[in-house]
Amino acid sequence: MNLLDIAALLVTIAALFAYFNHRYLHLPRVIGLMVISLGMSLAIIAGGKLGLGGIESHAETIVGSIDFDETLMHGMLSFLLFAGALHVDLSDLLKQKWVILILASVGVIVSTVLIGVAASAVFGWLGIDMPFIYCLLLGAVISPTDPIAVLGILKTAGAPKSLEIKITGESLFNDGFAVVVFIVLAGLAAGEAHVNAGEIAWLFVEEALGGALFGLALGGVAYYLLKQSDDYQLEVLITLATVMGGYSLATAIHVSGPIAVVIAGLLVGNHGRLYAMSNESRANLDTFWELLDETLNAILFVLMGLELLVLTYDGRYLLAALLIIPVTLLARFITVGTLVGLFRFARPFAAGVVKILTWGGLRGGVSVALALSLPPSPERDVIVAVTYVVVVFSVIVQGLSVGHLIRWIHGPRAAADTDH
């Protein structure tokens, strides 16, 4: 199948599944789509066991032909990040800037180490040969919270405003830091001797700081062009060029594309929408990006469910994943609890902030994409399988219950801001 046929198939499946979920399941859309996709994947696998191998083989061929890493990290991600940042209040974000920055950077590194150490013990106990550097690599893959999963769930979770800003801000920014940690560890795992402390530090500066500065410039250019126009069709085109051209250029000059797009989205979504657009342009721009965001989210979560068809199956991998799920949550709890504890000396926090940040830190497509980007090896098979199970648990179990947790802690008026 060519690219157009695959895209047509995914959009059609997403539309049918979304209708089924809306009509019968009534789950949050992204969770419903993933549940239905997983169900279809399991049905196809079961059909293969019952003698319908042709259907299973054909489905595996189609899904296997889709480069998930390329599709998400160099395709959908830039649009989804920009759409998410477009409606984040910059003044609220700046109030939480230090908490968000530390959670998105130090939090990812600490969590990577904690998960890596615990995973090494789990793999050793199960007799899975896994060098320690790959255990750390697994930690880097599943440590970052995913903005795509988080933003989709938080729309209906009813979190207090400040908690929503913390979770959203962390998830939007930690991709850039997580990718740097992943690149460093992947290089060490591949035996690249030239990776040293100085180069690691420079890589962080180049990717994170460079991405932020490039994003400021990108957002500034977009703001200037938007201010010169009062044609909403042209303004939509300018924002598309900002996302697509900006992300590609950021990749070409070796700065963080995710961070650059987020910064540009914040500038366009705040100063651009307020000072450079008419009411008509603002309404049309919002409608366009909301529609694009919902459509890409639907396709992504369908694709995540279908990825089950191409995983390497091993009972020990599944057992390892089930043991690593609580490890991941505990690492998140320790990391968030420690960092929030340090900030408590300078500022108050809402009740249950550590519990909500822990349970609301969902993993998603970015983790799966990073795992699938590794070169073929036995260690990759383990990392991909474990990551997939952790993500499925995170999106379905945590995603469905985080709203209940928030309401249990804060009551029915959870949406009221209780944190400063």
Side-chain angles (χ1 to χ4, degrees):
M1 297 179 71
N2 59 39
L3 182 61
L4 181 60
D5 290 336
I6 292 173
L9 179 62
L10 288 175
V11 170
T12 302
I13 291 173
L16 292 173
F17 286 2
Y19 173 80
F20 184 85
N21 177 67
H22 175 76
R23 188 74 174 81
Y24 300 106
L25 298 184
H26 310 295
L27 295 172
R29 184 175 290 113
V30 293
I31 297 178
L33 288 169
M34 190 169 187
V35 168
I36 299 170
S37 298
L38 285 169
M40 189 178 81
S41 297
L42 290 171
I44 291 173
I45 293 170
K49 303 296 183 184
L50 296 175
L52 301 176
I55 296 177
E56 182 182 15
S57 176
H58 188 57
E60 287 178 358
T61 300
I62 294 174
V63 176
S65 67
I66 302 171
D67 188 331
F68 190 95
D69 170 54
E70 187 71 22
T71 300
L72 177 57
M73 300 301 289
H74 300 285
M76 295 181 179
L77 184 61
S78 57
F79 297 99
L80 293 166
L81 288 175
F82 185 86
L86 204 59
H87 295 97
V88 174
D89 190 298
L90 187 57
S91 61
D92 288 338
L93 192 69
L94 290 175
K95 293 176 186 176
Q96 311 287 346
K97 59 183 180 296
W98 293 115
V99 178
I100 290 170
L101 180 62
I102 297 300
L103 283 173
S105 55
V106 177
V108 168
I109 296 171
V110 172
S111 178
T112 295
V113 174
L114 292 176
I115 294 174
V117 171
S120 180
V122 169
F123 291 136
W125 181 64
L126 294 174
I128 299 173
D129 183 20
M130 196 75 164
F132 183 65
I133 187 64
Y134 281 98
C135 295
L136 289 175
L137 196 54
L138 172 64
V141 167
I142 60 178
S143 284
T145 57
D146 181 14
I148 300 162
V150 170
L151 292 172
I153 302 304
L154 283 182
K155 289 177 182 178
T156 57
K161 183 79 171 195
S162 57
L163 278 175
E164 183 178 340
I165 287 292
K166 289 185 183 72
I167 297 173
T168 301
E170 178 197 2
S171 65
L172 284 172
F173 282 102
N174 68 8
D175 278 349
F177 290 100
V179 169
V180 175
V181 175
F182 175 82
I183 290 171
V184 170
L185 292 174
L188 292 173
E192 296 180 7
H194 67 273
V195 179
N196 55 52
E199 290 183 340
I200 292 173
W202 172 247
L203 189 59
F204 270 98
V205 171
E206 182 182 33
E207 288 280 334
L209 183 58
L213 292 175
F214 180 72
L216 285 171
L218 186 64
V221 171
Y223 172 78
Y224 175 79
L225 294 175
L226 290 170
K227 196 170 178 61
Q228 307 306 309
S229 167
D230 193 27
D231 180 345
Y232 75 85
Q233 294 167 324
L234 174 58
E235 290 173 338
V236 167
L237 188 60
I238 289 170
T239 57
L240 278 173
T242 300
V243 174
M244 299 175 72
Y247 197 91
S248 296
L249 184 55
T251 303
I253 63 177
H254 303 293
V255 299
S256 174
I259 290 178
V261 169
V262 167
I263 295 293
L266 288 171
L267 288 176
V268 172
N270 286 267
H271 297 291
R273 292 174 76 252
L274 188 61
Y275 301 114
M277 298 181 195
S278 65
N279 290 334
E280 182 187 14
S281 294
R282 192 179 304 118
N284 282 289
L285 188 75
D286 288 348
T287 300
F288 171 81
W289 278 102
E290 286 169 9
L291 178 61
L292 186 61
D293 183 41
E294 290 290 337
T295 302
L296 291 180
N297 260 305
I299 295 170
L300 174 61
F301 279 84
V302 165
L303 190 54
M304 285 172 61
L306 296 178
E307 282 293 313
L308 181 65
L309 293 168
V310 293
L311 292 184
T312 300
Y313 297 98
D314 187 311
R316 295 179 304 164
Y317 298 172
L318 176 60
L319 181 56
L322 294 176
L323 293 173
I324 288 173
I325 286 172
V327 165
T328 302
L329 291 170
L330 181 60
R332 172 79 175 168
F333 181 80
I334 292 171
T335 303
V336 170
T338 302
L339 295 176
V340 168
L342 293 174
F343 277 102
R344 281 191 190 275
F345 292 102
R347 58 180 301 145
F349 283 87
V353 61
V354 175
K355 297 183 183 71
I356 295 172
L357 285 173
T358 298
W359 197 250
L362 307 184
R363 277 70 179 179
V366 171
S367 292
V368 176
L370 289 176
L372 289 171
S373 71
L374 292 168
S377 69
E379 292 82 8
R380 176 189 184 271
D381 293 340
V382 178
I383 291 175
V384 169
V386 171
T387 300
Y388 191 82
V389 174
V390 170
V391 168
V392 168
F393 174 87
S394 181
V395 172
I396 296 178
V397 178
Q398 292 175 239
L400 284 176
S401 57
V402 66
H404 298 292
L405 175 65
I406 292 169
R407 286 187 288 273
W408 177 64
I409 292 174
H410 291 279
R413 299 183 64 183
D417 198 3
T418 57
D419 181 18
H420 304 285

